[in-house]
Amino acid sequence: MLKNTEFTEKLRSSGLRPTKQRLKICEVLFNREKTFHFTINDLVKNISNQLNEKISLATVYNTVHAFKKKGYLKEISINSDKSYFDTNISNHHHFFDEDTNELIDCNDDSIETPNVKKNITGKKINSIEVLIKVATDNQNHN
Amino acid sequence: MLKNTEFTEKLRSSGLRPTKQRLKICEVLFNREKTFHFTINDLVKNISNQLNEKISLATVYNTVHAFKKKGYLKEISINSDKSYFDTNISNHHHFFDEDTNELIDCNDDSIETPNVKKNITGKKINSIEVLIKVATDNQNHN
DNA sequence: TCAACAGTTTAGAATTATTATAATATAGTT
DNA sequence: AACTATATTATAATAATTCTAAACTGTTGA
Ligand SMILES: [Mn+2]
Ligand SMILES: [Mn+2]
Ligand SMILES: [Zn+2]
Ligand SMILES: [Zn+2]
């Protein structure tokens, strides 16, 4: 549970001005026990629920992208409809529940990061991510 | 190299009427030595290049989704901008070159499908896919 | 053979996530 | 306080995708 002044410091130290919009978004995103996944729309709803003031949609996009660039968020693409963001910035993998559209972190005891035996020449590996799609086992034969 | 009559049979056997649009799309997608990845826009361009007639965008979308539903194509989400489709329907993994936005199949000697040690209760695993993002190793410190 | 009908194609409109614009406001600095 | 770079905002623009509803076509069975 970071305080407001700590967010201020964190933002300033990464070259982002601690505006009241950014501080509020920090509260919503990082004042939590557990990490979580969200869409921009989820975040906009959370902001108007948990806080009195409104933050413009453009600012929410700007801030999320700024936080991603600074490494405070990760972006996850499951389908082309919308982007998911993750406050868990550690290297980890995901289950995606196709029934509920829910994204769930894999623990280390669920799966291990696979070993890349041959990489593409001249390229650096930026990330290795496993996505496990699951659904209820109802045998649909359409 | 399948012939037109073979595509006709394939379509009919999966409950899709072999219209001339679908047969043309089959030619463009499946009359190849190697599998490949494409976007809807790529496919539309290929159609107007390789063939005389034009197929409406709505039909291209309809057909690609129908083929995906029948298991003749796979959809891959790398970023939220657009969907990629894959004529390689086998279980395999991908490199994504962030410099060129190119999607490249992993061979079995590049990576092995990771083992899922614990699945979510009551759910069936539909797919396990690894995505390796690579880029040129130029040390950008912005 | 051919009428009937379900399935398909199509142009264009609608939807939706995201990005761009450009005017206004604010934070940090002197 | 004044200055300047940054940030916010409402709104417009963009772009991928889906929807609509009218016209067309493949299949079937009388
Ligand atoms: Mn889709
Ligand atoms: Mn994006
Ligand atoms: Zn996660
Ligand atoms: Zn592939």
Side-chain angles (χ1 to χ4, degrees), chain A residues 16-17 19 21-22 55-56 58-59 62 80:
Chain A
L16 297 172
R17 289 186 180 172
T19 63
Q21 290 87 347
R22 284 175 177 162
I55 300 178
S56 87
T59 298
N62 290 343
S80 63

Side-chain angles (χ1 to χ4, degrees), chain B residues 8-67:
Chain B
T8 300
E9 266 325 292
K10 193 177 177 182
L11 288 171
R12 239 194 292 260
S13 74
S14 49
L16 298 172
R17 289 185 181 172
T19 63
K20 67 176 197 293
Q21 291 86 346
R22 284 175 177 163
L23 288 169
K24 285 183 183 305
I25 290 174
C26 278
E27 278 180 51
V28 174
L29 292 183
F30 305 122
N31 250 340
R32 302 219 184 189
E33 288 296 334
K34 292 179 183 172
T35 60
F36 69 108
H37 307 106
F38 64 93
T39 64
I40 293 285
N41 201 41
D42 294 338
L43 180 52
V44 168
K45 278 188 209 151
N46 274 12
I47 291 166
S48 53
N49 290 354
Q50 300 187 20
L51 310 165
N52 288 348
E53 300 169 61
K54 310 218 183 297
I55 300 177
S56 86
L57 184 59
T59 298
V60 176
Y61 271 99
N62 290 344
T63 302
V64 165
H65 285 143
F67 287 4

